[in-house]
């Protein structure tokens, strides 16, 4: 008498796995940096070829560190918005291999959600 045992593991098909392609690799930093062509921002490129961008009011900062931020823990991008007297600011960092398309979408959301300060009394 012969008994057939099932094959170890599980069985499936490629279609059932629903394989996807996910964004990988750093991409092109210009997708992020080109969003700052407006006159409201100042650029500095330092001796390491790191790029620093600040809003004219000094409240938004974006740093791009292609080889990683010196002294940082795997930081390729650093975005910071300074808080106010009553509301704390925030920072976000992305490692150097985060796809530029994703960083660009985040930066776009930050920039598009800002608005000129009202000086009305």
């Amino acid at each position: 008498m012969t008994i057939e045992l099932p094959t170890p593991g599980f069985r499936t098909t490629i279609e059932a796995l629903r394989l996807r392609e996910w964004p990988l690799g750093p991409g092109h930093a210009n997708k992020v940096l080109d969003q700052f062509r407006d006159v409201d921002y100042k650029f500095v490129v330092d001796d390491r070829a790191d790029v620093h961008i600040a809003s004219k009011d000094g409240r938004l900062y974006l740093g791009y560190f292609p080889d990683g931020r010196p002294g940082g823990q795997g930081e390729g991008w650093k975005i910071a918005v300074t808080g106010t007297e009553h509301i704390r600011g925030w920072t976000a960092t992305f490692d150097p291999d985060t796809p530029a398309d994703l960083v660009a979408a985040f930066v776009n959301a930050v920039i598009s959600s800002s608005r000129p300060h009202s000086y009305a009394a």
Side-chain angles (χ1 to χ4, degrees):
M1 174 159 117
T2 304
I3 300 175
E4 283 193 38
L5 297 174
T7 307
F10 68 94
R11 297 176 68 148
T12 189
T13 63
I14 295 294
E15 293 79 21
L17 288 176
R18 297 183 186 198
L19 295 177
R20 303 178 64 89
E21 290 188 24
W22 296 95
L24 294 171
H28 298 284
N30 285 349
K31 292 185 177 190
V32 177
L33 304 177
D34 286 350
Q35 295 182 70
F36 293 96
R37 293 200 181 265
D38 192 81
V39 295
D40 291 335
Y41 303 97
K42 298 181 251 178
F43 280 75
V44 173
V45 179
D46 66 20
D47 61 340
R48 289 177 20 103
D50 295 336
V51 179
H52 307 272
I53 302 170
S55 59
K56 283 199 175 179
D57 67 0
R59 302 233 2 248
L60 173 82
Y61 168 80
L62 178 124
Y64 170 53
F65 311 96
D67 296 322
R69 183 170 171 231
Q73 297 289 342
E75 295 174 345
W77 298 92
K78 183 165 189 86
I79 303 162
V81 174
T82 304
T84 65
E85 179 182 355
H86 302 288
I87 303 172
R88 290 184 350 186
W90 57 267
T91 63
T93 59
F94 300 93
D95 68 41
D97 292 322
T98 301
D101 287 339
L102 301 180
V103 178
F106 182 85
V107 166
N108 183 7
V110 172
I111 292 171
S112 64
S113 67
S114 71
R115 60 191 178 284
H117 182 71
S118 171
Y119 292 101

